[in-house]
Amino acid sequence: MSEVLVFAEHKNGHLPKTTLVALGAGLELAAKYGTKCVAVVAGDGIEEVATRVAGYGVAAVVMLEHPALKNYVADAHAQALAALVKELGVQFVLASATAVGKDLMPRLAARLGAPMASEVVAFGDEGTLIRPTYAGNALATVELSGPVKVITVRSTAFEVAAPSENAAPVRKVDAAIDPSALKTELVSFEETKSERPQLTEARIVVSGGRGLKSGENFKTVLEPLVDAMGAAMGASRAAVDAGFVPNDLQVGQTGKVVAPELYVAVGISGAIQHLAGMKDSKVIVAINKDEEAPIFSVADFGLVADLFKAVPEMVEEVKKLKQS
Amino acid sequence: MKILVPTKRVPDPATNIQVLPDGSGIATENIKWVINPFDEIAIEEALRVKERLGSGEVVLAAIGQQSWQEQLRTGLAMGADRAILVLSESALDSLGIASVLAKIAADEQPDLVIMGKQAIDDDSNQVGQMLAEMLGWPQATFASKVEIKERRCTVVREVDGGLETLAFTLPGVITTDLRLNEPRYASLPGIMKARKKELKEVPAESLGVDLTPLLKVKELRAPSKRQAGRKVASAAELVSVLHSEAKLI
Ligand SMILES: Cc1cc2nc3c(=O)[nH]c(=O)nc-3n(C[C@H](O)[C@H](O)[C@H](O)COP(=O)(O)OP(=O)(O)OC[C@H]3O[C@@H](n4cnc5c(N)ncnc54)[C@H](O)[C@@H]3O)c2cc1C
């Protein structure tokens, strides 16, 4: 058998867009190799979410259950998945390059003695994979060898799986876990609460940089624009490092990679590490008082202005539009 | 407490990377080589742990060419105690690097491994997790805070949707995120002292580890460049083009 196994990450029963992209990429890869795409959902009491995954065109869903899989922890998940991969004899294991995917898949690869390609953006010819390196300054064509290959995919590079008419069969498997090998304790999770769209799912992203100067200005100046546009909020590393906004808003080489229909960069200079996370957006707008700022070299529409004047004006204009 | 800090030599993050026309790699003349920024954070954290405990040893490791001595000396000048350079002329993949590090860990028996979450050249973000699995140790990746009491290690991690706290009993592997600390600069006395510190070179072949890469880079290409668009004169014009021309709002 040579199948593609997609790790379908879920958050408390919810399927984020990144998971639907992983399924979409898995289906694409399976079609390329003329093989089947199977999804695995891991957890405890996950029947409902497993059933939902079965409705996205996959050939089958494995519901991998164990109390130790209730919350995501790398060692338990890597153990359980490795045993499943061996049982199924799959050729590719694929996940989205989310925080969980990045944490889990290399550990799984090492357990399987399998090579891994991170953040794949396209499937090339003759079994090759394309992935960005050097903060997106080079695209590498890589080749993996061995019976099993592990891949994470960039969620901006593939289409989401479409819902199918027929639901795939769901099979429950009791995960093989040796409790004595579990050495990590999940102590707590401090959630960043937000009513706004998810950064990786939004149609419009408005990001702020050091130019905003304070967390207070993010609230009073940038957030009105974010909300008027119904956007998700992002930030540069400088803004996160300075504590203006929480860490999971960082866009860039070492943060989140986004490619919305519209990306608005406010008070962001456009360092290469930031561009790595947003330069595939459909339309890019930059607002910066320095006309030499590198962000303008990738912007479709640039406004050279003081953001503290321009952003409130934009909010007024957007509101006027919405009323008319 | 013995802490092992694996490091990699990479182009300075401010470098304008140029892909060679034949696709075999990047142009390396005029590149300033530095310690991978995430590894610098790892060295800093290891030094802080040692300083807090008042005793311990920080051992650097790298797998590369002779020229990598320079970056290891910089790490020693920051305050690390000694360094191991595993010499390999051929390109290893992440599994190969992790295997070499696992062998070093078996020989050195560190209590903790702290390393960068990703190298800013290949951007793979794999080796720490692979090493943890090979050693059968717990892992705490993308760390923004580390606390060690007795043998108990608590790590705050930057994950999607917030901050997660993990705990484990040593030994374990931690990979660093940007906000863990701000690395110190090497002081002049530090640089002087570093010259006398041990930097051991070991040929990779002597380790008895299978280094055959299962991942091969066949080609590098420059991505297509995005064209700059046009400037607008005012916020009102900007909103108007986004509405009527781009049809986005
Ligand atoms: C290993 C490594 C990884 C990194 N990863 C990332 C990453 O993932 N994401 C990321 O973003 N960065 C990353 N960086 C950092 C990156 O190199 C830049 O330092 C960072 O992106 C700069 O953020 P900024 O544009 O907000 O700040 P700055 O570069 O300081 O730019 C601020 C901009 O605001 C403008 N400005 C100031 N005041 C006003 C005003 N009143 N009106 C209008 N404009 C104004 C200025 O003209 C300037 O262009 C990384 C760096 C390294 C070394």
Side-chain angles (χ1 to χ4, degrees):
Chain A
M1 248 200 299
S2 57
E3 290 177 354
V4 176
L5 182 69
V6 174
F7 174 68
E9 181 185 346
H10 62 96
K11 281 253 146 62
N12 311 319
H14 164 76
L15 284 181
K17 183 181 173 196
T18 45
T19 300
L20 301 185
V21 171
L23 292 168
L27 288 164
E28 186 182 324
L29 187 62
K32 199 166 169 104
Y33 285 90
T35 177
K36 284 192 297 186
C37 177
V38 174
V40 53
V41 182
D44 191 27
I46 45 170
E47 208 169 316
E48 204 190 310
V49 64
T51 311
R52 237 174 312 132
V53 171
Y56 283 98
V58 291
V61 175
V62 176
M63 198 164 86
L64 195 56
E65 286 206 303
H66 194 285
L69 300 176
K70 176 131 189 79
N71 293 306
Y72 169 75
V73 192
D75 49 12
H77 277 69
Q79 260 198 53
L81 279 174
L84 181 72
V85 167
K86 286 185 189 148
E87 187 206 310
L88 296 177
V90 298
Q91 193 186 352
F92 287 100
V93 191
L94 185 151
S96 229
T98 58
V100 167
K102 289 176 187 173
D103 185 55
L104 171 63
M105 298 308 265
R107 186 159 188 136
L108 174 66
R111 201 169 174 93
L112 295 166
M116 169 167 171
S118 301
E119 310 235 7
V120 167
V121 293
F123 304 130
D125 296 329
E126 293 165 32
T128 58
L129 304 158
I130 319 292
R131 56 177 305 269
T133 56
Y134 295 97
N137 282 309
L139 283 171
T141 304
V142 303
E143 189 177 55
L144 307 183
S145 43
V148 189
K149 303 162 178 78
V150 178
I151 297 173
T152 58
V153 294
R154 248 204 197 160
S155 63
T156 52
F158 294 91
E159 298 293 325
V160 295
S164 56
E165 280 183 12
N166 304 318
V170 178
R171 176 166 72 101
K172 178 174 170 333
V173 171
D174 290 322
I177 289 180
D178 167 12
S180 71
L182 302 182
K183 296 176 180 167
T184 328
E185 181 201 338
L186 177 61
V187 178
S188 62
F189 179 60
E190 192 187 311
E191 193 183 343
T192 314
K193 291 243 161 52
S194 171
E195 302 291 310
R196 301 201 176 90
Q198 290 281 317
L199 195 47
T200 45
E201 309 200 349
R203 203 176 73 85
I204 302 178
V205 172
V206 176
S207 288
R210 199 194 321 256
L212 273 134
K213 298 199 170 65
S214 71
E216 189 54 32
N217 289 337
F218 259 85
K219 285 213 171 61
T220 56
V221 181
L222 196 68
E223 290 190 14
L225 181 63
V226 173
D227 292 334
M229 296 180 84
M233 188 160 80
S236 70
R237 172 191 172 182
V240 177
D241 281 5
F244 300 168
V245 289
N247 61 280
D248 73 324
L249 297 191
Q250 181 179 315
V251 171
Q253 178 189 20
T254 55
K256 292 215 165 61
V257 177
V258 301
E261 305 261 315
L262 173 61
Y263 187 90
V264 184
V266 181
I268 293 178
S269 61
I272 185 75
Q273 293 86 2
H274 188 79
L275 302 186
M278 45 63 79
K279 71 177 158 62
D280 292 328
S281 305
K282 292 235 170 57
V283 172
I284 296 174
V285 166
I287 302 171
N288 198 303
K289 67 176 179 190
D290 172 12
E291 66 177 311
E292 303 284 312
I295 189 77
F296 287 122
S297 70
V298 298
D300 299 282
F301 302 109
L303 175 59
V304 182
D306 183 344
L307 73 91
F308 294 104
K309 189 169 160 288
V311 172
E313 280 171 22
M314 272 186 86
V315 174
E316 285 314 307
E317 294 294 326
V318 173
K319 281 186 179 156
K320 266 194 244 163
L321 262 182
K322 297 233 153 128
Q323 275 157 15
S324 62
Chain B
M1 166 107 40
K2 190 197 267 191
I3 306 174
L4 179 67
V5 185
T7 61
K8 187 178 187 184
R9 169 179 136 123
V10 298
D12 183 288
T15 310
N16 182 6
I17 297 290
Q18 300 291 340
V19 176
L20 292 173
D22 69 357
S24 63
I26 59 161
T28 50
E29 59 271 14
N30 305 325
I31 280 187
K32 184 179 157 217
W33 298 96
V34 298
I35 306 175
N36 178 41
F38 288 97
D39 305 349
E40 240 181 344
I41 296 173
I43 297 172
E44 176 65 35
E45 196 61 23
L47 294 173
R48 288 187 190 184
V49 171
K50 177 182 157 179
E51 284 159 6
R52 275 200 296 269
L53 296 173
S55 71
E57 188 182 26
V58 175
V59 182
L60 307 180
I63 299 116
Q65 288 89 55
Q66 201 107 44
S67 52
W68 292 35
Q69 278 196 1
E70 191 189 333
Q71 283 68 39
L72 288 172
R73 287 276 173 223
T74 307
L76 293 172
M78 284 172 73
D81 297 288
R82 59 189 171 89
I84 303 166
L85 175 57
V86 177
L87 293 168
S88 163
E89 284 304 319
S90 61
L92 304 187
D93 62 3
S94 302
L95 277 177
I97 300 286
S99 305
V100 170
L101 292 174
K103 177 70 173 67
I104 294 176
D107 294 343
E108 291 281 340
Q109 298 282 321
D111 301 281
L112 180 62
V113 176
I114 310 182
M115 56 199 289
K117 77 165 179 178
Q118 83 192 63
I120 59 157
D121 51 1
D122 66 25
D123 282 334
S124 282
N125 193 336
Q126 298 177 354
V127 175
Q129 298 87 315
M130 288 178 167
L131 176 62
E133 173 59 35
M134 287 174 183
L135 296 171
W137 289 3
Q139 72 187 45
T141 53
F142 325 148
S144 63
K145 195 170 174 210
V146 173
E147 254 172 27
I148 299 176
K149 279 210 188 85
E150 307 286 326
R151 307 264 320 152
R152 193 78 179 151
C153 183
T154 308
V155 180
V156 179
R157 307 180 54 228
E158 297 197 356
V159 298
D160 295 338
L163 292 171
E164 179 188 276
T165 305
L166 285 184
F168 58 81
T169 302
L170 296 174
V173 176
I174 294 172
T175 76
T176 59
D177 219 316
L178 293 167
R179 281 161 284 277
L180 182 55
N181 60 48
E182 257 193 66
R184 68 194 68 184
Y185 290 103
S187 64
L188 200 56
I191 293 168
M192 301 303 284
K193 266 197 230 157
R195 292 193 188 145
K196 297 205 190 72
K197 287 180 180 170
E198 180 187 308
L199 197 165
K200 190 169 78 180
E201 293 185 0
V202 187
E205 304 77 49
S206 72
L207 294 175
V209 177
D210 182 6
L211 301 172
T212 322
L214 297 178
L215 179 150
K216 285 202 186 86
V217 179
K218 302 195 71 171
E219 186 196 33
L220 286 188
R221 265 187 300 121
S224 50
K225 277 249 179 322
R226 209 181 161 109
Q227 292 299 317
R230 65 171 203 260
K231 296 266 170 31
V232 293
S234 67
E237 187 189 341
L238 181 55
V239 172
S240 151
V241 293
L242 290 179
H243 174 63
S244 46
E245 200 176 308
K247 308 225 178 306
L248 286 163
I249 47 175

